């Protein structure tokens, strides 16, 4: 649902994550339940996009920035570990 306050919307998103976890565990044991898992993941994305829009957050820009940060963390990790193996 649509919530008036961001903290209520975030709590709703947390509930969607919990539902996705349950759906995933069902899917692990029954591959016929893939669509339910997909639907729960979609609910999470919709929830995040809704909050982003209401708070005037450029979520694409934020994801790009975060992806770049994660990429550099992994790059540093692999370089560090590869250098250890080379010495």
């Amino acid at each position: 649902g649509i919530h008036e306050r961001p903290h209520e919307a975030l709590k709703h998103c947390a509930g969607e994550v919990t539902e996705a976890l349950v759906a995933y565990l069902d899917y692990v044991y029954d591959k016929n339940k893939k669509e339910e898992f997909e639907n729960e993941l979609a609910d999470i994305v919709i929830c995040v996009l809704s909050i982003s829009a209401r708070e005037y957050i450029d979520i694409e820009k934020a994801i790009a920035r975060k992806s770049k940060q994660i990429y550099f963390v992994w790059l540093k990790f692999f370089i560090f570990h590869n250098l250890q193996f080379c010495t």
Side-chain angles (χ1 to χ4, degrees), residues 14-78:
E16 295 294 351
V17 171
T18 301
E19 290 176 18
L21 174 59
V22 171
Y24 173 73
L25 294 174
D26 289 343
Y27 168 63
V28 167
Y29 294 106
D30 182 355
K31 297 301 180 192
N32 293 321
K33 296 197 174 191
K34 184 176 182 179
E35 187 173 339
E36 287 91 353
F37 178 48
E38 293 170 345
N39 289 340
E40 295 303 335
L41 290 177
D43 286 345
I44 294 168
V45 172
I46 291 166
C47 194
V48 169
L49 292 175
S50 297
I51 294 170
S52 300
R54 285 208 353 232
E55 295 299 314
Y56 305 101
I57 293 170
D58 184 343
I59 196 66
E60 289 182 65
K61 184 177 179 181
I63 290 169
R65 182 177 56 242
K66 189 68 178 183
S67 296
K68 189 182 293 185
Q69 291 170 357
I70 292 169
Y71 170 76
F72 285 118
V73 167
W74 278 107
L75 183 62
K76 289 176 188 176
F77 173 82
F78 286 118

